[in-house]
């Protein structure tokens, strides 16, 4: 649920703080970062490097729970996004409908923009 104080767009003459506005938009193509950090991270390995489409921007913003788990977050907040990844992109031999997809919520720092 959006709060009355949650900015949804840039206001003329006002510079938003880092992380205040979402980086990605609903409908935008994104790529899940393909990195292998040491420790427990909340992006499944089989999704790393895959292209997806943003279906929703989750509100309210939240702390990066991966950084929080290592005691490194200091309370900064950013956005989670619900993304849709085609099943055929995850498993090349997927025999179901080509319209099938996996939906998952991923923290902003794990997503990269894709040129369309």
């Amino acid at each position: 649920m959006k709060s009355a104080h949650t900015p949804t767009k840039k206001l003329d003459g006002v510079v938003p703080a880092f992380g205040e506005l979402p980086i990605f938009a609903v409908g935008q193509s994104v790529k899940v970062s393909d990195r292998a950090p040491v420790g427990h991270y909340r992006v499944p390995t089989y999704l790393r490097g895959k292209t997806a489409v943003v279906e929703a921007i989750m509100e309210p913003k939240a702390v990066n729970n991966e950084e929080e788990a290592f005691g490194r977050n200091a309370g900064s907040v950013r956005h989670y996004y619900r993304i849709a990844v085609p099943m055929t992109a995850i498993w090349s031999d997927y025999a179901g409908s080509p319209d099938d997809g996996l939906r998952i919520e991923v923290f902003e720092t794990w997503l990269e923009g894709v040129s369309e």
Side-chain angles (χ1 to χ4, degrees), residues 29-92:
S29 292
V30 293
K31 179 180 168 187
V32 179
S33 293
D34 188 9
R35 58 184 194 248
V38 175
H40 173 73
Y41 287 86
R42 296 180 183 241
V43 175
T45 305
Y46 61 86
L47 291 180
R48 296 175 190 178
K50 305 299 184 201
T51 300
V53 174
V54 174
E55 284 197 337
I57 300 166
M58 310 311 293
E59 294 288 354
K61 295 177 298 198
V63 297
N64 181 342
N65 52 26
E66 292 173 349
E67 291 296 309
E68 193 81 1
F70 291 103
R72 298 187 296 240
N73 193 29
S76 62
V77 294
R78 301 217 12 218
H79 293 87
Y80 275 90
Y81 298 83
R82 180 174 305 124
I83 60 172
V85 184
M87 295 298 255
T88 54
I90 301 170
W91 296 284
S92 59

